[in-house]
Structure formats: structure tokens, C-alpha cells
């Protein structure tokens, strides 16, 4: 039996921090996901490979419902489609009871195909076209109005319809967040939102059912949500008082962070990100204290995306090569890059080895396989002495990567779902060149 | 591979370059290689022994050997 | 001061061993602890870098373990402290470094479970005295602080100057400040400071006067058990005290007591005070830990680190009254001699 081998390496000792602390070093090995060995997953489905945990999807959803539902009588989650397009994921959330929040005609159709009833679809976004609005009216989705041009277009569309389209007004407001998100919706403080509400209600052609506000993304200040909730509630009460319109729901948007650490953050997100309970406490506290008569509290809608799905996704990859850069730094090339891990532009993702190594680590630059200078996953990470063929595991990649991934230089790989009984299901097959080219047409003179 | 003569290596894997004042820490295999190189052992013999004792393919060892040399050069430890 | 012959043994861990030209308080804290009449101490140093001078001060520090940087988070810190606890019978841990406090406060229950006591402010106290929250803090507790506001964009400078008047103090989010006298200067300073430290910046009304510091110890129930005011006699180019002298002034002591009462401060603190020519006292900054000159409190007769040690152990600490006025410290630089083998141990293994 031969001794396990790790390449010989030296480290210059500096006054700086250690990358090795006595008995333990670097990230711990993670050898299995939901009870399925990483090696087995790679053997069956190749590398790179996205893995989604159904157990975690459901757990995150139920935790969100619990956080808000134990504090407020009527809560409805709307799954934010753009966070992850895979139907298996969307359907898991719909099975748990989620509505759909969509931001384009394409997403609207996707939600309908996933069996979401039209009235349970909230249609956001600044870029709705006339045909999108007509389709939304036809299926009785709720249209969240973003700007005055859209309002007038919808009034026009509504004119020819037997049934009044249901709408909500997207409001932007000062919740103490800098920079203030003022590009979506109607501004509250300068009176624009109130003016729009008058325009919606007065002609009687639209049915105002909700108010919506999304203060930003990855917002760490729970107090900002309390401010937004209080302002939205006050606006709803004013609608009732002055426009004789009772608002059925208040949609506080999403933007709740996951525990991925933003690049440049001093402390890891797992230490600084407030729990969903703290957000729930801030929002429901503001709504319960806003002055609604008992029994007339509006439904609280939340458009959760990242908080529901990020933790459930993992990406398995493989070391293709190691090299040394001109300045002596170690570089490791992996078989996935920013083409699959879009979020590595703003997160320092947690990356683990998938088998045990010694305590030796080496600071390494992590590159993807693209022949493109931007393809860098981590500028410096302490990893064990990985050799070509070793696997790594990127944690918490469920949000945005499976909708923003690119067919650039490489095709997209397999995606599997591990169900609650540890059965592995292929939920999106690796792409082929044929798939990539099937919509292309080559003019006759180039054939 | 010829280490500078005055380089001090310790059993626990520390390397000290008295000419520059730099200190280094070697992982066990690197420490083993350097100790034997200091004793004047020939690289071919060192490599043969590693192949004998460790679970590594000859090609991989050659590549890592070159990398170790690159590090030694980078750190100014070779003659 | 003669110490009792047979004192019980106790192991205490201390951070902030960077006794450099912008010194951490650890070495001064240890020096004061060594004069505790209650315990015969084994001192465990906790360092972040291998050349922190305290590591090599072997007569003060028995053994040092390197910690992961605060940015590695609580999980890494706890793992390392678990390891230290397996090697050493640490009963009390005294953190001394602003950036690490968040983690140590969060970990206090876990440390207690390991048998390690701390005596720290709460997270809410830590947050409330943050530079960014100082105006709100002053308003909430009726303590006088310079009027100020937060600036997120260079366009907001003019409005701030109008409200606060010239000259204006612009402070970086974490560090650094500039006194500016015109809009052009202010905008230039804004760009420099925001480039270095990000936004927001703090615009503060300029308060002229004499700078005074108070080192104090709050019992967490509203009492300042000790407060010792000091005026800096010389400062370095980084604004750090290089010599200082204890003062007698009831108004300063009253302010420290009011601070402890209003905040129910728990643990060591330092108030940076400006006394105006009209004898008004402004709190300019609140440090949530002992200052680097803390040994002066022991030398003047109120050994605050030793008292904090008793508080951490749940022992009673009487209100300390009276201290030597006119007691001075003069800091000096001293070249410690060690060997490359010691440095290798510290740098490679994180233990010495």
C-alpha cells in the first residue's frame, strides 16, 4: 500500500495572517449531497453538474411561510421566476403553494404552462408590450403598473374588454436605502404615485387590487422594510379614505439576501445577514401597527426568489489544470467559469473539496475554462493541493445562475434534482451543438 | 537541483535563507526532497524513491517536480 | 505594588498584541492584569499577524496563538478558540480590537459553554456608538455630540456645509478625517475619503477646544465603576497619544458616569472628548474597548483591566474612588530581540 501523494510545495512565511491554523485548514470536504456521493453524481451525469436539493427547496419555502405566517394572518408568497427557470424548481414551489411573479411575456407563459392559474400570477417589470398586457388581461393576471405610459396603454387595452383588468401600482419610496431604487414604479414622496392611483380609479376601467414596492436587492437593513411597509400601508389607507377603494394586498417585494458573501464585504454573510424572521418581524410589525381595522388587514404578498432557492443549488466541477503565474502565484483552471456561475461576479462563493486532504493549503487564483480574461471565479482562495481530476463543490448557487447562465465557449451542462428520498432526477439535459444551432439558418449562398 | 549552500533546513520543514532573511515552510514531501537534495542525493534517485513509496504517476511527479523547481527559483533558493 | 504571595492560578487570553506606532491595547491590558492582586495569571496572547510585538514579549505573554482574521467569521474563530481551549485552561478572554468585537460578542454564549467568560458590550450598544450613529446616539441619551449628517454623494456636501457651517469635519466611514474650509476643499476631501473608505461619509460640525480622553469601565447595570480622564501631551503623526497625564475634573467624571448610566455600558470604554473654550464637553467618538494607554489607569490607582477580570468571573467590584492626578505616561519604542526560529514558529504554525 503506497502513501497518499500531495505535490511538494513551499510557502514563504510573512508577517501576515496564516492560511493554516494548526490542526485544521481551509474548507472542509463535502463528499455527498443529500446522501448521494459527489463521485457517484459525476460518474452518472458528468462534470460540471448543477445539483438541486428538493428537500432544501421545500425547507426554505416552509421557513419563509412560517416566518411571516406566524406573525400575520394572511400571507402569500409569489415565486420570482427570473431567479431560476427550471420547471422542476418552479413546480416544487407551486406545489408548496406559491403564486408566480413574472416580469415578461415569456415568463407569463412559462408560469401558465406550469399550471399556475392566471389570477395567481403577478406581472411586474418595466418592459411589458401591448401583446403582453392583452395576454395578461385574457388570463386575469394582476398587472403591476410600472410607469405612466404603461398605465395609459393598459387603459387603452382595457377599453375593449368585458372585464376590468386587475392592477396593482408599483411604488418607489425613500426607505432609507442608498442609492434609492427609483427607476421602477411611481415615486411616493413627490406625489406621482398618488396621481397615478387617481388615474387608475377615476375612469373605472381598471380594478385596483394591490400596492407593490420592492426597495432593492440584498438589503441588510430590516428597518428599511419596516419603513417601506408603513408607507405602503399609509397609502393603502388613504386609497380607502379618499378613493373609496380598499386595497386587497400589499406586495413588499423581495430582495432578502441569502447567506452568500458579497465581494468586498468584511464579515461573512453567515454572520451578518439578518434571519428571515427579523425581516418578517419588521414588515408585519409595521403593517399590524398601521391602523387597519381588525379583520380588514390586506393580504401580505412577498416575491421571494433568492431566499427560497439559493441554498438549494450546488455546482460540482473538476480541476482541469494547475499552473503557476508569472508572479509565482498558483492558478487552478476549473471546468466551469463565469459562463455557468454568473453570481461569481458579485459573490465570494464558498467552495469545498469533495474528498479529504491533508492540512496543507495553497493560496490559489481560480479560473474558469473560458479563453476570456474576465473568467475568474476567485482572486485568492485557500484550497488543498488539488490535482487535475479532483472535484470541487460550489455551495449556494441556486439563485440566478440557472437563468443567467450563458452558452459561451461551452454548452450548458446537466442539471439534476435530488428528491426527498435521495433519488436523482435529470431535470435539464446537457445541451448539444445541435440544440444550440437548431434555430440558425444559413443563407443559400453560404451553404 | 542545487540548493544554495548556506540554506538552513529544519526537521519540521522550515527553511531559512541567511542571505535574504526569508523564511519558508515546506510541506512534508517538499521538506523530504530538500533534505535529501542537501545530502547530495541525485534527483533521479529521489524521484525513483518517491515513485516507489507514493501513490503518484511518473508524469504527475515530473510536472510537480518542475513546479517545485520553479518555486525554489522564485524564492531564490537555488544556486 | 507588592502582590500577595499566594494567589490562585488563572489563565486569561488577550488580543490586540500589536503594540506598534498605532498600538492595540493588548500589551497594556496584560501589564495591568499582571498587577492584579487577585490572581497569579498565565497569559495567552491571541494574535492576527506573526510580527505583533506582544508575541515576543515572553515575560508578559506566556504563549500566543494566532487567530483567523475577523473577516473569516465566527465559525472559523470559534473553531480556533476551541482548539486553544483544548491546549489552555482559558477562563476569561479580553478582546481589545474594534473590528473583532462583533464576532466575540456574537460568540459569547458559545465561549461560555467552553468555560470562557467575557465581559463585553451588547451588539446593540456596539452598533449605537458607531460613528455613523453618533448623532442619533447623542439625541437618544441626552449626551452632547457634534451635530452631523451622513453624506452619500458629493452633491450633498453643500447642503451639509450650509447646515453645519464652516469649517467642516469630513470623516471616513472607518478611518481618517479632514477639516475643510471651503466647498472646493470639501468636495476634494469627499472624493479622496469616499475613494478610500466608501460612502457614507460623516460631515460633522467643527468643534474647537482641548482634546481629552476618558477610560472607563461600565458594570452593565448603569454604573461606571471607574473613570480616569487623561489629556494627551504629545501625539504621533497618526494622532495617537505618545505622552499623557491624568486630570482632575468632576465634570469629566460626571460625563463618564452619565454615559454608563444612559447606555448601561458593559465593559471597557474610551470616550474621546472635546472641551470647548466655553467649558462645554462634546463626545467626539466612543471606543467600545479599553484604550492603548489603559495601563495609566492602573498606575494611577484604578486598575480597570483587573477590575474587568473580576467582573467577567462574576466577582464583586466596588466603585473605585480616587486616583493619582498628574500621573503621566511617556510611551517609548524598544527593540525586542528574538530569532528567526521563533518567527518561523509563529508564522507557520500560529503558535509560540
Amino acid at each position: 500500500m503506497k502513501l497518499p501523494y500531495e505535490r511538494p510545495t513551499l510557502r514563504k512565511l510573512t508577517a501576515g495572517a496564516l492560511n493554516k491554523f494548526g490542526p485544521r485548514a481551509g474548507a472542509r470536504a463535502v463528499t455527498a449531497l443529500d446522501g448521494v456521493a459527489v463521485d457517484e453524481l459525476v460518474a452518472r451525469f458528468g462534470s460540471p453538474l448543477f445539483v438541486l436539493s428538493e428537500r432544501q427547496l421545500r425547507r426554505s419555502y416552509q421557513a419563509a411561510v412560517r416566518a411571516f405566517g406566524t406573525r400575520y394572518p394572511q400571507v402569500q408568497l409569489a415565486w420570482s421566476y427570473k431567479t431560476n427557470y427550471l420547471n422542476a424548481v418552479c413546480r416544487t414551489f407551486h406545489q408548496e403553494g406559491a403564486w408566480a411573479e413574472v416580469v415578461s411575456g415569456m415568463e407569463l407563459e412559462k408560469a401558465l404552462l406550469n399550471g399556475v392559474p392566471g389570477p395567481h400570477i403577478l406581472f411586474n417589470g418595466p418592459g411589458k408590450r401591448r401583446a403582453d398586457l392583452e395576454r395578461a388581461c385574457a388570463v386575469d393576471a394582476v398587472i403591476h403598473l410600472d410607469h405612466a405610459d404603461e398605465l395609459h396603454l393598459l387603459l387603452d387595452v382595457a377599453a375593449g374588454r368585458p372585464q376590468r383588468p386587475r392592477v396593482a401600482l408599483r411604488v418607489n419610496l425613500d426607505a432609507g436605502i442608498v442609492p434609492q431604487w427609483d427607476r421602477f414604479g411611481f415615486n411616493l414622496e413627490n406625489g406621482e404615485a398618488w396621481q397615478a392611483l387617481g388615474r387608475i380609479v377615476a375612469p373605472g376601467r381598471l380594478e385596483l387590487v394591490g400596492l407593490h414596492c420592492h426597495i432593492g436587492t440584498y438589503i441588510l437593513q430590516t428597518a428599511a422594510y419596516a419603513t417601506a411597509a408603513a408607507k405602503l400601508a399609509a397609502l393603502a389607507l388613504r386609497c380607502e379614505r379618499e378613493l373609496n377603494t380598499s386595497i386587497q394586498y400589499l406586495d413588499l417585494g423581495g430582495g432578502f439576501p441569502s447567506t452568500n458573501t458579497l465581494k468586498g464585504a468584511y464579515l461573512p454573510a453567515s454572520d451578518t445577514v439578518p434571519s428571515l424572521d427579523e425581516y418578517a418581524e419588521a414588515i408585519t410589525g409595521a403593517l399590524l401597527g398601521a391602523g387597519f381595522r381588525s379583520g380588514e388587514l390586506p393580504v401580505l404578498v412577498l416575491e421571494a426568489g433568492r431566499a427560497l432557492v439559493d441554498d438549494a443549488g450546488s455546482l460540482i466541477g473538476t480541476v482541469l489544470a494547475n499552473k503557476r503565474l508569472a508572479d509565482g502565484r498558483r492558478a487552478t483552471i476549473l471546468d466551469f467559469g463565469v459562463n455557468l456561475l454568473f453570481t461569481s461576479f458579485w459573490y465570494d462563493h464558498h467552495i469545498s473539496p469533495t474528498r479529504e486532504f491533508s492540512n496543507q493549503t495553497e493560496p490559489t487564483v481560480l479560473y474558469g475554462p473560458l479563453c476570456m480574461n474576465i473568467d475568474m471565479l476567485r482572486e485568492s482562495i485557500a484550497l488543498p493541493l488539488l490535482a487535475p481530476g479532483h472535484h470541487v463543490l460550489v455551495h449556494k448557487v441556486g439563485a440566478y445562475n440557472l437563468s443567467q447562465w450563458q452558452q459561451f465557449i461551452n454548452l450548458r451542462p446537466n442539471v439534476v434534482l435530488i428528491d426527498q428520498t435521495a433519488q436523482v432526477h435529470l431535470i435539464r439535459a446537457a445541451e448539444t451543438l445541435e440544440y444550440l444551432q437548431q434555430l440558425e439558418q444559413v443563407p443559400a449562398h453560404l451553404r | 537541483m542545487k540548493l544554495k549552500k548556506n540554506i538552513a533546513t529544519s526537521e519540521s520543514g522550515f527553511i531559512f535563507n541567511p542571505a535574504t532573511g526569508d523564511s519558508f515552510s515546506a510541506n512534508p514531501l517538499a521538506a523530504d526532497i530538500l533534505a535529501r537534495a542537501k545530502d547530495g542525493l541525485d534527483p533521479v534517485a529521489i524521484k525513483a524513491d518517491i515513485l516507489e513509496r507514493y501513490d503518484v504517476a511518473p508524469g504527475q511527479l515530473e510536472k510537480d517536480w518542475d513546479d517545485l523547481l520553479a518555486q525554489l527559483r522564485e524564492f531564490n533558493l537555488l544556486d | 505594588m507588592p502582590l500577595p504571595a499566594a494567589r490562585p492560578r488563572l489563565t486569561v487570553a488577550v488580543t490586540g498584541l500589536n503594540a506598534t506606532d498605532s498600538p492595540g491595547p493588548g500589551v497594556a491590558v496584560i501589564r495591568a492584569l499582571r498587577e492584579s492582586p487577585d490572581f497569579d495569571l498565565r497569559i495567552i496572547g491571541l494574535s492576527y499577524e506573526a510580527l505583533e510585538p506582544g508575541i515576543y514579549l515572553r515575560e508578559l505573554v506566556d504563549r500566543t496563538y494566532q487567530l483567523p482574521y475577523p473577516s473569516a467569521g465566527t465559525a472559523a474563530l470559534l473553531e480556533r478558540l476551541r482548539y486553544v481551549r483544548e491546549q489552555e485552561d482559558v477562563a476569561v478572554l479580553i478582546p481589545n480590537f474594534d473590528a473583532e468585537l462583533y464576532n466575540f460578542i456574537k460568540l459569547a454564549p458559545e465561549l461560555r459553554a467552553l468555560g470562557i467568560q467575557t465581559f463585553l458590550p451588547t451588539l446593540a450598544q456596539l452598533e449605537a456608538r458607531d460613528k455613523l450613529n453618533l448623532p442619533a446616539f447623542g439625541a437618544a441619551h441626552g449626551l452632547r455630540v457634534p451635530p452631523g449628517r451622513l453624506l452619500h454623494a458629493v452633491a450633498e456636501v453643500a447642503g451639509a456645509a450650509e447646515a453645519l457651517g464652516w469649517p467642516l469635519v469630513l470623516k471616513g466611514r472607518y478611518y481618517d478625517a479632514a477639516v475643510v474650509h471651503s466647498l472646493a476643499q470639501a468636495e476634494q476631501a469627499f472624493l479622496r475619503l469616499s475613494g478610500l473608505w466608501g460612502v457614507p461619509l460623516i460631515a460633522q460640525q467643527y468643534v474647537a477646544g482641548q482634546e481629552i480622553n476618558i477610560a472607563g469601565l461600565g458594570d452593565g447595570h448603569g454604573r461606571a465603576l471607574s473613570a480616569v480622564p487623561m489629556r494627551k501631551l504629545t501625539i504621533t503623526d497618526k494622532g495617537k497619544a505618545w505622552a499623557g497625564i491624568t486630570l482632575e475634573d468632576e465634570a469629566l467624571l460626571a460625563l463618564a458616569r452619565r454615559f454608563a448610566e444612559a447606555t448601561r455600558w458593559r465593559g471597557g470604554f474610551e470616550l474621546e472628548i472635546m472641551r470647548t473654550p466655553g467649558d462645554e464637553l462634546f463626545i467626539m467618538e466612543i471606543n467600545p474597548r479599553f484604550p492603548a494607554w489603559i495601563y495609566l489607569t492602573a498606575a494611577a490607582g484604578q486598575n480597570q483591566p483587573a477590575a474587568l477580570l473580576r467582573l467577567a468571573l462574576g466577582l464583586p467590584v466596588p466603585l473605585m474612588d480616587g486616583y493619582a492626578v498628574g500621573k503621566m505616561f511617556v510611551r517609548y519604542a524598544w527593540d525586542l530581540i528574538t530569532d528567526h526560529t521563533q518567527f518561523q514558529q509563529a508564522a507557520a504554525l500560529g503558535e509560540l
Side-chain angles (χ1 to χ4, degrees):
Chain A
M1 183 71 178
K2 291 190 170 184
L3 297 167
Y5 170 87
E6 271 181 5
R7 65 169 182 265
T9 182
L10 299 182
R11 186 160 57 86
K12 185 168 177 172
L13 299 178
T14 64
L18 291 175
N19 53 24
K20 160 171 177 231
F21 298 103
R24 270 231 60 86
R28 284 171 197 281
V30 175
T31 56
L33 290 168
D34 281 6
V36 185
V38 170
D39 288 345
E40 183 196 321
L41 287 166
V42 174
R44 281 182 64 192
F45 299 99
S47 167
L49 175 68
F50 276 103
V51 183
L52 287 148
S53 159
E54 184 179 342
R55 188 195 302 165
Q56 186 60 47
L57 291 173
R58 292 186 188 274
R59 202 179 271 168
S60 296
Y61 185 91
Q62 288 158 7
V65 168
R66 203 163 41 240
F68 287 92
T70 52
R71 293 177 166 86
Y72 196 81
Q74 281 181 286
V75 176
Q76 180 60 52
L77 297 192
W79 159 242
S80 164
Y81 259 59
K82 64 178 179 290
T83 320
N84 187 315
Y85 279 149
L86 295 174
N87 290 331
V89 170
C90 298
R91 283 170 184 255
T92 303
F93 290 134
H94 296 319
Q95 216 174 58
E96 289 285 336
W99 290 5
E101 186 257 339
V102 302
V103 293
S104 70
M106 178 272 280
E107 290 190 2
L108 174 64
E109 295 304 330
K110 211 169 156 50
L112 291 166
L113 285 172
N114 276 327
V116 183
H120 290 177
I121 300 175
L122 310 179
F123 193 178
N124 270 312
K128 306 180 200 86
R129 295 136 208 253
R130 186 181 185 100
D132 299 332
L133 294 176
E134 282 169 350
R135 178 69 169 145
C137 291
V139 301
D140 199 21
V142 189
I143 297 160
H144 284 201
L145 293 167
D146 185 78
H147 46 76
D149 283 336
E150 185 176 82
L151 168 55
H152 288 277
L153 182 60
L154 184 64
L155 283 169
D156 203 32
V157 168
R161 304 201 64 84
Q163 204 186 342
R164 288 191 303 166
R166 296 187 308 142
V167 301
L169 191 77
R170 176 155 184 177
V171 175
N172 69 63
L173 48 78
D174 179 7
I177 294 296
V178 178
Q180 189 181 327
W181 276 33
D182 57 4
R183 64 172 282 191
F184 303 117
F186 297 78
N187 185 255
L188 179 70
E189 285 83 9
N190 70 7
E192 192 191 16
W194 183 248
Q195 188 184 35
L197 287 168
R199 290 253 177 218
I200 292 170
V201 173
R205 271 184 272 161
L206 303 175
E207 185 188 359
L208 177 66
V209 295
L211 296 175
H212 170 223
C213 164
H214 177 85
I215 56 176
T217 189
Y218 210 97
I219 301 294
L220 295 176
Q221 296 87 336
T222 55
Y225 280 95
T227 305
K231 287 188 170 185
L232 217 54
L235 188 61
L237 287 165
R238 188 174 175 200
C239 284
E240 180 158 5
R241 225 170 33 240
E242 298 182 27
L243 299 176
N244 279 321
T245 304
S246 80
I247 299 294
Q248 295 166 22
Y249 71 82
L250 297 181
D251 180 343
L252 266 296
F256 310 116
S258 71
T259 51
N260 265 312
T261 301
L262 288 175
K263 281 190 188 298
Y266 185 64
L267 294 170
S270 50
D271 284 339
T272 53
V273 167
S275 69
L276 220 44
D277 281 291
E278 293 171 70
Y279 291 101
E281 188 67 33
I283 290 171
T284 59
L287 295 184
L288 293 171
F292 291 104
R293 281 187 298 274
S294 71
E296 292 183 12
L297 281 167
V299 174
L300 169 60
V301 174
L302 296 151
E303 298 168 351
R306 181 186 289 111
L308 297 186
V309 77
D310 214 13
D311 286 4
S314 308
L315 174 60
I316 301 171
T318 304
V319 174
L320 296 178
N322 284 311
K323 66 196 291 182
R324 204 162 283 284
L325 303 177
D327 60 5
R329 278 181 306 156
R330 186 92 188 162
T332 294
I333 303 168
L334 300 169
D335 64 354
F336 63 89
V338 295
N339 54 327
L340 299 185
L341 203 60
F342 196 80
T343 49
S344 62
F345 284 122
W346 58 85
Y347 291 143
D348 277 341
H349 279 290
H350 179 53
I351 301 177
S352 323
T354 65
R355 40 157 278 196
E356 296 298 337
F357 284 87
S358 77
N359 294 321
Q360 297 288 332
T361 62
E362 198 173 8
T364 306
V365 191
L366 274 192
Y367 292 124
L370 307 185
C371 192
M372 187 88 180
N373 205 32
I374 56 162
D375 191 21
M376 181 169 68
L377 296 164
R378 287 291 287 273
E379 215 170 292
S380 178
I381 180 172
L383 283 176
L385 304 177
L386 298 168
H390 286 146
H391 303 307
V392 295
L393 185 66
V394 191
H395 302 262
K396 299 178 185 174
V397 303
Y400 292 102
N401 289 304
L402 292 159
S403 46
Q404 290 184 282
W405 52 353
Q406 303 160 10
Q407 291 158 328
F408 178 55
I409 301 184
N410 288 303
L411 296 168
R412 297 162 177 155
N414 281 323
V415 183
V416 297
L417 176 85
I418 302 177
D419 73 18
Q420 297 185 93
T421 61
Q423 298 300 306
V424 186
H425 307 265
L426 183 67
I427 58 171
R428 192 178 194 276
E431 293 174 350
T432 59
L433 184 59
E434 187 190 5
Y435 166 83
L436 179 66
Q437 298 189 142
Q438 68 183 353
L439 298 177
E440 284 197 48
Q441 298 183 24
V442 179
H445 71 282
L446 296 176
R447 281 186 196 152
Chain B
M1 175 164 75
K2 198 148 178 269
L3 280 183
K4 283 189 174 157
K5 259 207 303 296
N6 55 358
I7 300 290
T9 56
S10 81
E11 265 180 35
S12 38
F14 290 125
I15 298 154
F16 179 63
N17 184 346
T20 61
D22 287 330
S23 287
F24 305 89
S25 143
N27 73 345
L29 186 54
D32 187 33
I33 292 171
L34 294 179
R36 289 201 267 171
K38 253 193 119 223
D39 290 344
L41 221 68
D42 165 51
V44 179
I46 301 176
K47 282 188 262 187
D49 180 60
I50 292 173
L51 288 172
E52 179 81 17
R53 289 190 294 142
Y54 289 91
D55 184 16
V56 60
Q60 183 66 42
L61 178 61
E62 281 302 330
K63 214 205 90 186
D64 292 341
W65 186 272
D66 288 346
D67 186 55
L68 180 65
L69 286 183
Q71 291 180 68
L72 292 169
R73 263 197 306 275
E74 164 85 18
F75 293 145
N76 209 5
L77 294 169
L78 291 184
D79 245 345
Chain C
M1 183 170 35
L3 297 170
R7 296 174 294 168
R9 300 272 301 164
L10 189 77
T11 305
V12 176
V14 179
T15 72
L17 306 184
N18 52 323
T20 58
D21 63 340
S22 180
V27 169
V29 167
I30 293 167
R31 187 175 172 202
L33 289 174
R34 288 271 182 216
E35 293 180 8
S36 157
D38 306 320
F39 301 101
D40 177 15
L41 293 176
R42 174 171 169 81
I43 298 289
I44 302 304
L46 300 172
S47 67
Y48 290 98
E49 300 193 345
L51 283 181
E52 292 180 23
I55 301 171
Y56 304 95
L57 275 167
R58 306 312 294 267
E59 67 279 15
L60 280 181
V61 182
D62 293 295
R63 190 169 175 80
T64 300
Y65 295 84
Q66 203 160 344
L67 297 183
Y69 270 138
S71 57
T74 52
L77 177 62
L78 182 61
E79 184 168 334
R80 181 60 173 163
L81 291 173
R82 269 208 189 99
Y83 170 78
V84 172
R85 185 66 182 79
E86 282 162 18
Q87 319 303 313
E88 307 286 347
D89 193 20
V90 177
V92 177
L93 193 156
I94 305 178
N96 289 300
F97 183 44
D98 288 2
E100 71 187 1
L101 282 180
Y102 180 87
N103 286 346
F104 278 106
I105 293 170
K106 279 204 118 173
L107 283 181
E110 284 85 351
L111 293 178
R112 207 173 305 128
L114 291 176
I116 302 175
Q117 308 300 323
T118 54
F119 197 75
L120 296 168
T122 63
L123 275 183
Q125 289 172 337
L126 184 73
E127 185 64 19
R129 42 70 31 203
D130 188 281
K131 263 204 250 195
L132 294 183
N133 304 326
L134 193 63
F137 178 85
H141 297 303
L143 295 166
R144 192 179 283 143
V145 301
R149 54 165 74 182
L150 301 184
L151 305 178
H152 293 93
V154 69
E156 295 167 12
V157 172
E162 200 168 306
L164 303 169
W166 300 108
L168 195 62
V169 185
L170 293 183
K171 292 186 162 181
R173 168 76 184 82
Y174 298 106
Y175 197 65
D176 216 348
V179 180
V180 291
H181 296 84
S182 68
L183 193 57
Q185 268 186 4
E187 288 176 352
Q188 206 176 9
F190 181 95
L191 295 176
R192 183 178 70 82
L193 292 168
S194 61
L196 281 170
W197 309 105
V199 288
L201 263 64
I202 301 122
Q204 219 172 54
Q205 195 170 76
Y206 179 78
V207 180
Q210 190 177 50
E211 223 182 297
I212 293 163
N213 295 40
I214 306 174
L217 176 62
D219 70 353
H221 301 291
R223 285 197 313 169
L225 297 174
S226 166
V228 177
M230 176 277 288
R231 182 166 75 83
K232 299 174 184 176
L233 294 176
T234 64
I235 57 169
T236 66
D237 57 0
K238 290 186 177 167
K240 304 292 164 187
W242 205 252
I245 185 165
T246 56
L247 305 179
E248 180 176 23
D249 183 335
E250 185 48 39
L252 291 170
L253 298 181
L255 177 58
R257 285 196 288 266
R258 214 162 62 239
F259 165 79
E261 191 185 339
T263 59
R264 306 177 83 78
W265 192 265
R266 191 167 186 274
F269 63 85
E270 181 190 30
L271 304 180
E272 296 185 12
I273 307 290
M274 194 65 85
R275 180 159 59 193
T276 65
D279 260 352
E280 286 175 319
L281 298 176
F282 283 87
I283 298 181
M284 308 301 288
E285 226 163 276
I286 300 159
N287 295 318
R289 41 138 186 101
F290 287 135
W293 55 272
I294 193 67
Y295 181 74
L296 184 65
T297 66
Q302 295 197 1
N303 190 332
Q304 292 183 3
L308 181 136
L309 181 58
R310 290 184 60 92
L311 290 172
L313 292 167
L315 301 172
V317 175
L319 207 63
M320 290 186 248
D321 204 15
Y323 54 88
V325 175
K327 196 63 107 181
M328 287 175 55
F329 77 90
V330 184
R331 200 167 275 167
Y332 67 106
W334 173 266
D335 298 349
L336 259 163
I337 303 305
T338 183
D339 197 63
H340 76 272
T341 52
Q342 305 268 297
F343 168 71
Q344 287 171 345
Q345 291 287 332
L349 304 178
E351 289 184 36
L352 184 64

